[in-house]
């Protein structure tokens, strides 16, 4: 619900907001959700062999572009090499598994059957486009971080801020 609310708030273009996923029952201390709990709340699925290599040190971000707001995830990895090895096995179902990351837009079906390669600031990126303007799934492993985004612009913005 907080992410949906974000879609109605003003945010400067190329602005980034960090969303902290919490479970705060009435009269109890606020608890930051573990990654598994946050993924469950977002109703997204991460391939088990990838998920096993991800830590609970993560950020959910909302990136603002002229074309709208996009969601991104930045997750510290336990084993970046293992993620790079396993991630292509996830690609065939990734669009369906991550469809709920598109809170602000309806992506439709990907325009191609497979992911393509891109590079930005010396970071290898894999992506798949959807029919709508600037709607994609982009992912990268940068150092010990796994990055997922729902637009090329948000991926570039995340990488720029991480440098």
């Amino acid at each position: 619900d907080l992410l949906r609310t974000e879609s109605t708030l003003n945010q400067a273009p190329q602005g980034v907001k960090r969303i902290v996923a919490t479970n705060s029952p009435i009269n109890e201390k606020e608890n930051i959700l573990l990654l598994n709990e946050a993924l469950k709340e977002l109703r997204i699925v991460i391939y088990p062999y990838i998920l096993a290599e991800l830590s609970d040190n993560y950020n959910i971000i909302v990136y603002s572009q002229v074309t709208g707001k996009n969601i991104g995830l930045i997750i510290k990895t336990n084993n970046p090499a293992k993620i790079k090895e396993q991630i292509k096995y996830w690609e065939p179902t990734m669009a369906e598994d991550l469809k709920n990351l598109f809170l602000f837009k309806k992506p439709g079906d990907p325009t191609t059957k497979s992911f393509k390669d891109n590079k930005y600031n010396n970071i290898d990126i894999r992506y798949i486009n959807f029919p709508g303007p600037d709607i994609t799934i982009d992912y990268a492993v940068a150092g010990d971080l796994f990055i997922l985004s729902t637009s090329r612009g948000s991926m570039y913005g995340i990488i720029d801020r991480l440098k």
Side-chain angles (χ1 to χ4, degrees):
D1 289 338
L2 178 60
L3 290 174
R4 284 192 175 85
T5 301
E6 275 300 319
S7 69
T8 64
L9 301 177
N10 288 334
Q11 186 175 332
Q14 286 76 47
V16 174
K17 285 188 180 179
R18 179 177 176 238
I19 304 297
V20 178
T22 62
N23 179 4
S24 52
I26 298 173
N27 298 325
E28 288 190 28
K29 184 178 176 185
E30 185 175 89
N31 295 309
I32 296 175
L33 297 178
L34 298 173
L35 179 61
N36 280 337
E37 296 167 330
L39 296 175
K40 183 178 177 184
E41 290 297 319
L42 290 169
R43 290 174 287 161
I44 63 171
V45 177
I46 292 182
Y47 187 67
Y49 294 106
I50 302 297
L51 185 60
E53 302 304 330
L54 300 176
S55 76
D56 286 317
N57 185 354
Y58 69 95
N59 287 290
I60 301 170
I61 63 152
V62 176
Y63 184 83
S64 180
Q65 296 177 231
V66 174
T67 57
K69 294 182 181 177
N70 296 285
I71 302 297
L73 294 172
I74 305 167
I75 309 167
K76 186 169 173 124
T77 67
N78 299 318
N79 188 339
K82 184 78 166 188
I83 288 177
K84 287 179 182 179
E85 172 189 310
Q86 289 291 318
I87 198 143
K88 289 194 179 182
Y89 297 112
W90 183 23
E91 285 184 0
T93 64
M94 192 181 281
E96 181 65 24
D97 293 344
L98 299 177
K99 69 181 176 187
N100 287 323
L101 276 182
F102 296 97
L103 295 177
F104 313 130
K105 303 171 185 172
K106 301 258 188 241
D109 292 325
T111 57
T112 61
K113 293 201 182 280
S114 60
F115 279 71
K116 297 179 181 183
D117 293 313
N118 190 8
K119 192 175 209 94
Y120 181 74
N121 281 349
N122 295 317
I123 304 285
D124 292 325
I125 300 169
R126 298 274 294 163
Y127 71 94
I128 194 164
N129 291 325
F130 292 86
D134 207 27
I135 301 174
T136 70
I137 291 177
D138 281 40
Y139 73 82
V141 178
D144 64 350
L145 299 176
F146 176 61
I147 306 165
L148 271 174
S149 71
T150 55
S151 77
R152 181 180 58 218
S154 61
M155 177 59 83
Y156 289 2
I158 291 168
I159 291 170
D160 287 343
R161 282 167 177 77
L162 292 175
K163 291 276 180 181

